[in-house]
Amino acid sequence: MNVRHIAADFRIVARSYFRNPLALFFSLIFPIILIGLFGLIFSSASSGPIALQVLNEDHNSPLSVQFLAELNQTHVVQVDVVNDASVTPATFATWLGQNDHSVGLVIPAGFAANLSANRSVNLTVYSNPQDAASAGQVYFAVTGVANGYNLEAAHGTVLIQVPPPQNVGSQVLTYIDFLIPGLIGFSILTSPMFSMVDVTSSYRKEGIFRQLSLTPLTRSEWLVSRILWYVLLTFVSAGIMIAAGIYLFSAHVGVTLGMLPFLVAGPFLFVSLGMFAGSVTKTPESAALIGNIITFPMMFLSGTFFPVSSFPPGLQAFAHVLPLYYVIDGLNQVMLFSNTGLAYTDLAVVLLSGVVIFALAVRFFKWRDE
Amino acid sequence: MASAIEVRGLVKRYGPLAAVAGIDFSVPTGAVFAFLGPNGAGKTTTTEILEGLRRRTDGTVRVLGLDPWEEGRPLHRRIGVIPQDFRFFEKITPKEAIEYYRTLFHTRADPGALLAEVELLDKIDARFDTLSGGQKQKLGLALALTNDPEICFLDEPTTGLDPHARRAIWAVIRKLKREGRTVFLTTHYLEEAELLADQVAIIHRGRIIAAGTPGEIIRAHGYPARLSVEGSAELAAYLGRELHVPVYAEGSRVEVELSDRRDALRILSAIEASGLPWQSFETRQDSLENVFVRLVGQMDEGALKSEAPG
Ligand SMILES: Nc1ncnc2c1ncn2[C@@H]1O[C@H](COP(=O)(O)OP(=O)(O)O)[C@@H](O)[C@H]1O
Ligand SMILES: [Mg+2]
């Protein structure tokens, strides 16, 4: 690998990009528009706390009451404990519907006992799919508070003692906080995927790759220069999105060095994937189709706009095979929960799949045909 | 003299189609070699095999002593290639393109000088997608020269260009020859081959049907020269009786086959001796174009006959 070759090719990529207003728009302006749009929708929707119906099957144990109090303190939800003895977990969903409530939460029996014994408990959240905005926010508030407990458990502290508010783990997170890592992941995915698939197939069709094959530039050098370009683009667009989130919507995300590996490994993975998709297809049209088939599910199901934990179990399992899930989960861990331990696992998954796909892309990508 | 290109028994099949059906030729170092043939003859296929862009089905190929497919990397440092339909990064200018190639090839080529050489200096800062077809082709030529190549491959470099752009490309090809480079050129323009090439091979349906210098090809495959005068059918009949060589009456002209130039005087004396009126004599030589058209036509007729159901 020759650094001067990579630098020369990088200049070509950068120039082509700056001279193509549409490409710049999609990489830099589009994310801001998304942040603005989602930010506005959800900040207006959350003008007041959302009424959350809670069925407390743990008979108002002190720990469950404490949990609900913390939930109230998020100001995202207003907890209404259901006092109607005829309502059971089995009839709760129907009851919610009949009474026109859009969100509900069940605290299971044995909640306090299990938590104290460090055994896991399931909190069931009900929501009305037609009210996705409240659903997302409620899930987020509940998982945010629950995460505070889980973190404490991981540190071996007694669960009943709820951490003080300044603890990052129990910090009150809003939807916009969650949205920022999600949208950074969104642009890490979309900006290289859409253009690499297109570039790879159309360069082959136009004979530009054959032209390049007649020079000392190697395929890996070509790929590395694109990866570097998209890493740079990701840094800039992530910076813009974080700034927009913080200044326009008072988001509180942690801007830490822990983000950097994801902002490098993410583009590495998706530039390679885009090139792979563009190389294994014969025409630009089929390449675009394959590109979309790969990109669209990932775009929505990896926790970009809504937390994966709010998905039904089947969809959650599916999300876990999408590489973007690990990019976004990792960014969530470092930016929202300061949980570097979990982020390492995510990073390992992203890097490993990146290396595999890079190798496949270089293997299947032909400068010249037989 | 050593050969720059050596081809023996080259075959390239695309499925059932033999696009190149066993050809042999060699190009001496420093020569301009024109590969002449109609569309679909197999010119691009052969050229790209020589450049290491396509894999051959059979035969041996040596370019500068290297196997183009197996030893592409070292070969590509020493050759320059302008493909049939040259395309490049749309938003990049000729100056940037040459700087890019210069870095990749580690040479000191000067964009200004190279672009002046191909008469593209006025477009040095224009983006590729704003260039005309001829200007794109010229940039291709300039890029092919960035690495100071020993052999230049030009696949139909002037097809579709206006006469002026065509002449500019011809001038560059002549200059390449003066600089001692070998030029491998494909074309379907006869005059181009006749004008530029030291050696010509005519390819049709994947086979070489004639090869040599333009003169050699005409001598081998062309009709003998004719002496032609304006005169009557009566004159034709008289000459036929007197001369014992083929005589043709074509419209108001009489043509006598001239297998040897020294016969001209004898023929003219016979014409004068006839006492019949005649005027404006000239000699007519078969052109490469006639030969080409006839050879290709004969082959197609033959192919039609052999393909006809029977
Ligand atoms: N990649 C290919 N696959 C299948 N057939 C091809 C391919 N390239 C060329 N051919 C066929 O091979 C023959 C020779 O093509 P080509 O070498 O491009 O001719 P020329 O350059 O003389 O016009 C044509 O019949 C063409 O259709
Ligand atoms: Mg051709």
Side-chain angles (χ1 to χ4, degrees), chain B residues 37-45 47-48 54 84-85 155-156 159 186 188:
Chain B
N39 283 330
K43 302 184 296 294
T44 298
T45 302
T47 310
E48 292 194 348
R54 285 194 212 191
Q84 182 162 359
D85 181 21
D155 194 2
E156 296 194 23
T159 300
T186 80
H188 57 235

Side-chain angles (χ1 to χ4, degrees), chain A residues 44-212:
Chain A
S44 64
S46 60
S47 49
I50 301 161
L52 173 67
Q53 308 302 312
V54 177
L55 187 61
N56 192 339
E57 292 285 291
D58 206 29
H59 310 296
N60 294 326
S61 62
L63 191 57
S64 65
V65 171
Q66 167 128 28
F67 184 88
L68 293 177
E70 273 184 52
L71 211 48
N72 261 336
Q73 279 167 22
T74 63
H75 301 294
V76 174
V77 297
Q78 169 67 53
V79 169
D80 277 337
V81 177
V82 179
N83 285 317
D84 185 342
S86 67
V87 182
T88 66
T91 61
F92 189 50
T94 324
W95 179 84
L96 283 172
Q98 280 163 355
N99 292 278
D100 250 349
H101 297 301
S102 63
V103 279
L105 169 72
V106 177
I107 306 243
F111 175 76
N114 280 331
L115 274 192
S116 313
N118 260 341
R119 281 196 300 269
S120 69
V121 293
N122 285 330
L123 299 180
T124 316
V125 177
Y126 292 87
S127 65
N128 180 349
Q130 280 164 8
D131 189 1
S134 336
Q137 292 184 82
V138 169
Y139 278 121
F140 201 68
V142 174
T143 47
V145 172
N147 202 65
Y149 283 73
N150 295 339
L151 266 183
E152 285 305 313
H155 293 196
T157 323
V158 183
L159 281 166
I160 297 173
Q161 282 174 357
V162 179
Q166 68 269 24
N167 183 306
V168 189
S170 65
Q171 182 188 324
V172 181
L173 295 168
T174 63
Y175 182 69
I176 191 86
D177 301 335
F178 159 79
L179 194 59
I180 290 172
L183 285 184
I184 292 177
F186 179 85
S187 73
I188 285 179
L189 167 77
T190 53
S191 119
M193 275 303 279
F194 286 136
S195 87
M196 284 304 291
V197 168
D198 178 53
V199 157
T200 307
S201 57
S202 60
Y203 278 15
R204 189 181 45 213
K205 190 177 171 198
E206 291 171 9
I208 291 182
F209 282 148
R210 287 145 50 82
Q211 192 64 31
L212 293 178

Side-chain angles (χ1 to χ4, degrees), chain A residues 281-300:
Chain A
T281 44
K282 287 247 181 297
T283 65
E285 291 72 28
S286 56
L289 185 69
I290 294 289
N292 288 345
I293 289 175
I294 298 175
T295 311
F296 275 99
M298 242 191 290
M299 218 157 100
F300 297 108

